[in-house]
Amino acid sequence: MLRDLVLQNRSRRRFYQDVPIEHETLRELVDLARCSASAANRQPLKYILSYDPEKNALIFPHLAIGRPSKDWHGPPEGERPSAYIIILGDTEISKSFGCDHGIAAQSILLGATERGLGGCMVGLVKKAELSQSLNIPPRYEILLVLALGKPRETVVLETVGPDGNTDYWRDSEGVHHVPKRRLDDIIIG
Ligand SMILES: Cc1cc2nc3c(=O)[nH]c(=O)nc-3n(C[C@H](O)[C@H](O)[C@H](O)COP(=O)(O)O)c2cc1C
């Protein structure tokens, strides 16, 4: 069961933009993060939710969703995320956030996957611009943005080839391929 969910939980970058995600659904997803592990149980993470097109439009331009190439400049209008969860570090609680936001992000994305949704962790964020765009007070550090929606693309996992290249790629049918290292290559002792 958990393995199925983990396998299904791929980074999704193309969505049915017109399929909305309810505010309550986002709250339930953040509640999964709330119940997750936190270093020394400090719980320094705070969240901003976005689920309406106007607010979404303030967020999208500041994210790098997928590697830019001649064929890809991020998801086009119509395939963009219908919601976002912005994970913030509250510097009045802690100055360092360790891996709390990664754990929170994975809990949220697993919960989204279980609901038939999907998403992508976005670390490449123009943080100053996004803070300004949403008037985020300076005490909050932007750590990760989760782009969410109803997935619109097929993603397949495959094994890294002999050249060791781990770059993800898209084939002519639009299928997204994600090479993963072999289990025996990552357990080193
Ligand atoms: C901390 C972190 C930051 C990431 N930042 C980005 C990002 O800025 N843009 C993006 O398109 N994907 C981002 N990703 C998604 C990775 O590219 C993705 O996890 C990887 O290609 C493997 O695909 P998979 O998640 O389907 O296994 C990020 C993932 C992690 C864990």
Side-chain angles (χ1 to χ4, degrees), residues 95-174:
K95 300 293 175 217
S96 65
F97 307 103
C99 54
D100 278 24
H101 44 299
I103 293 166
Q106 184 74 350
S107 293
I108 289 170
L109 289 176
L110 286 172
T113 301
E114 189 185 41
R115 287 164 173 76
L117 302 170
C120 186
M121 298 182 204
V122 184
L124 279 174
V125 179
K126 291 184 206 151
K127 294 182 178 176
E129 288 88 338
L130 181 56
S131 276
Q132 190 175 29
S133 184
L134 295 181
N135 285 318
I136 299 173
R139 71 184 263 193
Y140 300 111
E141 183 181 329
I142 295 172
L143 300 173
L144 268 179
V145 178
L146 305 182
L148 296 163
K150 183 171 162 50
R152 192 179 185 140
E153 65 185 343
T154 305
V155 180
V156 292
L157 290 188
E158 55 197 26
T159 304
V160 168
D163 63 1
N165 189 353
T166 60
D167 289 348
Y168 56 81
W169 58 284
R170 194 174 302 272
D171 68 24
S172 55
E173 310 290 312

